Amino acid sequence: MDDCACEVPEKKSLFQRTGFLITVTVFAVITSAYPLYAGMFNTKASLPVAVDETTVQRVVIDVKGMTCAGCEAHVNAELSNVSGVAEHSASYEVGSATVLYDPAQATEAELIEAIERAGYTASIPKPKDQ
């Protein structure tokens, strides 16, 4: 007895197979969660910086273009490469970076250049008149 072609089960295409769908789902979850684990890839260890405690200055720099924790990591990585920077902290939520630095070793212009090397727009806000 010959089998009729209509009785043969239809083979699923690649896009309908369960393994493919699971792979795509796992990939989507991993890539969408990137900001949560982006800091793990910044392997540069911060070396202690010798700065004169009496001359350390604090500056808050406006940073435009940061949208996630990964952006913060990029800005912090570039600031850590500037000689004379004692501490730094970028915040995408606030849109700024706070930097403690020794003005004898670094300038505000160098800090701005470092942030711009990371791909963001940086500026020091002008004081508000009272």
Side-chain angles (χ1 to χ4, degrees):
M1 177 177 198
D2 293 326
D3 288 330
C4 179
C6 64
E7 293 177 9
V8 177
E10 185 177 331
K11 186 176 180 181
K12 291 183 179 180
S13 73
L14 172 68
F15 300 113
Q16 294 174 326
R17 294 186 186 157
T18 305
F20 176 77
L21 296 175
I22 290 172
T23 303
V24 169
T25 302
V26 168
F27 179 75
V29 169
I30 289 172
T31 55
S32 64
Y34 177 75
L36 299 175
Y37 60 85
M40 294 183 341
F41 298 109
N42 184 11
T43 57
K44 292 182 182 177
S46 287
L47 299 174
V49 177
V51 295
D52 184 1
E53 298 282 331
T54 60
T55 62
V56 171
Q57 290 186 1
R58 177 181 178 269
V59 64
V60 177
I61 303 171
D62 287 340
V63 182
K64 297 201 183 324
M66 291 192 297
T67 58
C68 65
C71 298
E72 290 175 356
H74 293 144
V75 170
N76 284 325
E78 286 297 329
L79 287 171
S80 68
N81 292 330
V82 178
S83 178
V85 172
E87 292 181 28
H88 51 79
S89 176
S91 171
Y92 79 91
E93 294 168 333
V94 178
S96 68
T98 303
V99 183
L100 293 176
Y101 70 101
D102 183 353
Q105 298 181 35
T107 64
E108 291 180 349
E110 291 173 327
L111 301 175
I112 290 172
E113 287 174 16
I115 294 170
E116 290 178 347
R117 273 195 307 271
Y120 306 95
T121 304
S123 63
I124 296 179
K126 293 183 171 50
K128 295 179 182 177
D129 293 335
Q130 296 184 6

